[in-house]
Amino acid sequence: MCGIVGYKGREEACDILIEALKRLEYRGYDSAGIALWHEKKIEIARVKGKVDDLKRITAKKRLKGSMGIAHTRWATHGAPSEKNAHPHRAGDIVVVHNGIIENYMDIKATLKRKGHTFLSETDTEVIPHLIMDYIKQGADFIEASRLAMKDLKGSYALAIIREEERVLIAAKKESPLIIGVGEGEYFIASDAPAIINRTNRFIFLEDNDMAVFRDGKVALFDTDGRPVERKVQTVNWTGAMAEKGGYKHFMLKEIFEQPRAITETMIGRVNEEKGDVEFEELSLPDIGQVKKIWMVACGTSYHACMIGKHMFEGNLRIPVETDIASEFRYRDPILEKEHMLILVSQSGETADTIAAMKEGKRSGAYTLSICNVLGSTLARDADGVIFTHAGPEIGVASTKAFTTQISVLYMLMLHLGRRLGIIEKKQLQSLIGEIKRIPRKVQTVLDMAGEIEEMGRRYMGYKDFLYLGRGINYPTVLEGALKLKEISYIHAEAYAAGEMKHGPIALIDEHLPVVVLSPKDRTYQKTCSNIEEVLARRGKTILFTDDKSHEMLSRVETTFFFPSTLYELEPILSVVPLQLLAYHIANLLGTDVDQPRNLAKSVTVE
């Protein structure tokens, strides 16, 4: 991983590919490279560093060609370096690859015995050598590529070119890859934002698909050589949606886009007058037969699942178990046909979450994905899908995806409650009315962003933070602490406030800022007691609350007020100032907010 782009058309490919790589920088990477085909010759440029460094090299070399492939790499096999950067070459075969080839050591050993010499430490390099080996055995380029893919175990998104012929091959298995369809030209990319400025017509490849571009056309096959058909789909994202729009960082833009994103996620789904919530794209099983619900995800999406658990158990009285996707299948979970498995992922390509989905399908459980990307693996392969309509999220640290995921989980809870007869029409009308007010309330928080910037300036010099929350706001402080550590590199821990006395209280002194979420809800008095414990140890308490007469106001160091709402919807409002706090501290410290070190936007390997 992390980003693949390709082009075949009439224009010079170099600038198109470099621009596409720039649009994929949000995924995080450590090196970059490009290969251009021109008059039966392929020239390659690679660099450890950024796409801008690659651009300078291509300009110096004056690379030309109307067909090419390019890549940004996040190291998995082999350290970040020029020799490990993609593209990789064997003979006249050149490849870029996302994913992991699990059996590359066996393939490499076999090829070495045949006289092949390897120059990198990567798993990817075996692929062009394997294709070359099949060509030496008499296969043509396309057949050799197909045979090589059948030998590969693991995950891949591939783009392959050869000097001998003006043909581009792309292939996918358990790693995202799409085709962009233009006027007399084709693109390939790991994600739509890379090429959305060139086309909004896409073919979403499925696992084991292979695309062959030649003579101005594209032909699709599976890895057994059988023709397959995939529809060309039009998406309504524009190039402007993937630009900063005047904001200093994509992350800040996306924080401020949350009112719109939540509104668009609700459109066509909530009907206050009828007292109903409907998902046209969803076909659910008999919900009355569902004995248990599982919610599985990674990172920020897992925090949304934890909030969903509070909503579903508190209102539907159905047991809900949340799991981190990377741990889920390794403990051999007891999944049954009467269970529903909800899988949450912004990209729909998170490898561990996809693996959890497969575990659910093997057990016969109903699988439901909540994701933001049309045509993603989770969207295609789950039994049902609900799309968040957040639009492209470019910043690595997720913001609007989180609040739209919470919005979907809330609406799903209402939908299921209506179907089960637990929530009556009049009550549902009231509950729908409140979520419809949420975008305006989020905007109220955003209008006070200057207060958070001043707070960030006050606390930017501290090296450790403790976050505390209770009930449905415990996962919210987990998310707040995650944001701070992701983009500012400041150590931050979050605890359920009642657990503070079981260890973290030992850390509290006058040098530790303690962020406390304490809205006027069912956990209010308990949280006040926890604040007392912090104050007794001279902790620097930063209070976030919706209660302007909070009993701790005169004793804490700093306070920020957000609007009141229903208990189930509190996290949407309370997380926004925590997102802003993390952003402003990171910005003031001068870190790379949109591309924090060591992180990738879509974790497509396990």
Side-chain angles (χ1 to χ4, degrees):
M1 62 194 272
C2 214
I4 283 179
V5 292
Y7 176 76
K8 187 174 185 295
R10 295 185 293 264
E11 297 184 36
E12 285 293 327
C14 188
D15 288 346
I16 293 171
L17 294 174
I18 292 290
E19 181 183 4
L21 286 185
K22 289 288 291 180
R23 290 171 175 269
L24 286 179
E25 284 191 304
Y26 69 91
R27 297 166 74 96
Y29 66 102
D30 52 56
S31 56
I34 191 170
L36 292 168
W37 184 96
H38 182 63
E39 295 179 353
K40 292 192 174 184
K41 184 178 181 181
I42 295 174
E43 288 202 56
I44 294 174
R46 304 186 302 189
V47 62
K48 177 189 173 184
K50 295 294 186 179
V51 173
D52 284 340
D53 300 320
L54 180 66
K55 185 176 182 179
R56 283 190 287 272
I57 291 173
T58 58
K60 187 175 181 180
K61 288 188 172 184
R62 298 182 180 179
L63 298 187
K64 295 180 64 178
S66 57
M67 180 175 75
I69 56 179
H71 188 268
T72 52
R73 177 179 186 256
W74 187 59
T76 53
H77 293 77
S81 66
E82 188 276 333
K83 73 172 183 178
N84 288 332
H86 298 214
H88 288 287
R89 181 175 196 149
D92 71 343
I93 305 293
V94 179
V95 171
V96 293
H97 165 233
N98 281 353
I100 287 180
I101 305 305
E102 295 171 358
N103 61 335
Y104 85 100
M105 292 292 287
D106 293 336
I107 295 172
K108 193 171 187 176
T110 300
L111 292 171
K112 278 185 172 181
R113 287 194 293 270
K114 293 184 175 183
H116 290 254
T117 301
F118 292 84
L119 304 176
S120 78
E121 304 164 296
T122 69
D123 55 336
T124 299
E125 196 183 358
V126 303
I127 301 171
H129 281 273
L130 191 56
I131 295 170
M132 201 69 227
D133 193 64
Y134 276 117
I135 289 174
K136 289 178 180 177
Q137 295 176 43
D140 64 25
F141 176 37
I142 297 169
E143 179 68 3
S145 299
R146 184 186 71 81
L147 291 170
M149 288 170 214
K150 289 183 71 67
D151 288 344
L152 303 177
K153 293 180 181 177
S155 60
Y156 58 75
L158 291 169
I160 314 164
I161 54 177
R162 186 188 185 197
E163 285 188 339
E164 279 295 307
E165 44 199 309
R166 193 172 182 269
V167 175
L168 169 62
I169 295 175
K172 175 198 182 310
K173 181 185 177 187
E174 298 179 6
S175 196
L177 195 66
I178 61 173
I179 296 171
V181 180
E183 295 298 326
E185 58 186 359
Y186 290 95
F187 310 83
I188 59 171
S190 303
D191 206 353
I195 53 177
I196 195 69
N197 64 317
R198 305 286 305 195
T199 182
N200 67 343
R201 299 171 65 226
F202 298 104
I203 298 171
F204 296 98
L205 296 178
E206 298 188 10
D207 281 353
N208 299 309
D209 279 359
M210 175 175 161
V212 178
F213 304 84
R214 59 180 171 183
D215 302 327
K217 298 177 182 178
V218 59
L220 300 178
F221 306 89
D222 64 20
T223 48
D224 289 322
R226 296 176 299 226
V228 296
E229 292 186 8
R230 305 283 179 241
K231 292 189 300 184
V232 177
Q233 300 184 49
T234 301
V235 302
N236 58 4
W237 294 355
T238 65
M241 293 178 74
E243 299 295 340
K244 291 180 184 175
Y247 291 92
K248 184 175 182 180
H249 295 101
F250 282 114
M251 182 182 177
L252 186 61
K253 174 177 180 278
E254 287 154 10
I255 289 172
F256 275 83
E257 284 177 338
Q258 287 175 112
R260 176 199 59 77
I262 295 166
T263 298
E264 294 192 2
T265 295
M266 287 191 287
I267 288 174
R269 292 168 170 172
V270 296
N271 189 317
E272 189 174 359
E273 184 178 350
K274 289 173 60 179
D276 209 355
V277 177
E278 291 293 339
F279 299 97
E280 286 187 7
E281 70 268 45
L282 191 60
S283 177
L284 285 171
D286 182 358
I287 190 63
Q289 301 301 311
V290 175
K291 295 179 180 177
K292 183 176 182 178
I293 294 173
W294 301 75
M295 295 184 181
V296 178
C298 297
T300 288
S301 297
Y302 176 67
H303 298 155
C305 289
M306 294 174 71
I307 292 165
K309 175 182 172 73
H310 278 270
M311 293 180 187
F312 279 55
E313 287 192 338
N315 292 279
L316 304 181
R317 310 310 297 161
I318 299 174
V320 177
E321 188 161 349
T322 58
D323 255 283
I324 297 170
S326 57
E327 294 290 323
F328 181 65
R329 66 194 187 282
Y330 295 111
R331 64 179 183 82
D332 196 16
I334 304 172
L335 284 160
E336 299 176 359
K337 290 182 180 179
E338 296 80 12
H339 293 179
M340 179 187 292
L341 176 60
I342 298 176
L343 306 127
V344 185
S345 166
Q346 188 281 139
S347 67
E349 300 291 353
T350 309
D352 288 309
T353 310
I354 292 169
M357 175 189 66
K358 292 177 180 177
E359 190 75 20
K361 293 179 83 70
R362 276 193 292 271
S363 72
Y366 178 85
T367 57
L368 171 62
S369 67
I370 296 174
C371 68
N372 189 42
V373 179
L374 178 73
S376 63
T377 300
L378 277 178
R380 291 196 316 268
D381 293 352
D383 297 317
V385 58
I386 302 174
F387 290 106
T388 57
H389 296 307
E393 188 177 65
I394 307 302
V396 168
S398 181
T399 52
K400 62 179 179 173
F402 179 65
T403 50
T404 55
Q405 286 167 354
I406 298 169
S407 302
V408 164
L409 287 166
Y410 179 81
M411 289 188 289
L412 181 60
M413 180 268 291
L414 299 184
H415 176 75
L416 297 178
R418 185 75 167 128
R419 288 185 62 174
L420 289 168
I422 295 171
I423 305 176
E424 298 299 326
K425 178 180 176 180
K426 190 171 182 180
Q427 182 188 7
L428 197 60
Q429 287 175 318
S430 174
L431 297 173
I432 290 171
E434 183 55 25
I435 193 172
K436 288 177 71 175
R437 287 187 280 273
I438 286 294
R440 176 174 50 80
K441 293 183 177 184
V442 171
Q443 187 59 53
T444 299
V445 176
L446 295 171
D447 290 342
M448 298 184 287
E451 294 180 30
I452 301 293
E453 184 173 5
E454 286 306 308
M455 190 184 295
R457 200 175 302 279
R458 182 173 184 176
Y459 293 102
M460 61 184 281
Y462 290 90
K463 301 302 181 186
D464 300 278
F465 279 71
L466 180 64
Y467 285 64
L468 300 175
R470 296 190 80 120
I472 204 165
N473 277 300
Y474 167 49
T476 313
V477 294
L478 285 170
E479 177 62 15
L482 176 64
K483 286 292 154 284
L484 185 65
K485 71 183 79 171
E486 277 183 313
I487 62 172
S488 73
Y489 316 140
I490 293 171
H491 172 249
E493 281 192 78
Y495 268 81
E499 285 292 294
M500 177 181 62
K501 62 179 68 69
H502 297 286
I505 198 167
L507 299 171
I508 298 174
D509 61 17
E510 68 273 20
H511 304 296
L512 182 71
V514 181
V515 175
V516 184
L517 272 188
S518 179
K520 194 69 178 283
D521 60 19
R522 65 190 71 169
T523 66
Y524 177 79
Q525 287 299 332
K526 295 290 186 183
T527 309
C528 287
S529 298
N530 300 134
I531 295 172
E532 289 275 13
E533 294 165 348
V534 172
L535 293 171
R537 277 86 185 167
R538 296 180 295 167
K540 293 183 175 296
T541 308
I542 307 168
L543 175 64
F544 291 83
T545 182
D546 62 355
D547 180 14
K548 294 198 173 181
S549 58
H550 198 289
E551 62 187 71
M552 293 291 157
L553 277 185
S554 63
R555 302 178 59 195
V556 301
E557 188 168 279
T558 310
T559 305
F560 181 86
F561 297 104
F562 55 85
S564 296
T565 186
L566 297 173
Y567 179 72
E568 291 81 2
L569 293 172
E570 282 176 0
I572 297 178
L573 297 179
S574 61
V575 79
V576 176
L578 301 187
Q579 294 169 345
L580 286 166
L581 179 62
Y583 170 79
H584 284 300
I585 289 177
N587 182 47
L588 289 164
L589 291 173
T591 66
D592 192 345
V593 171
D594 286 332
Q595 297 172 54
R597 66 190 184 202
N598 303 332
L599 293 179
K601 181 66 176 174
S602 299
V603 183
T604 56
V605 297
E606 297 180 45

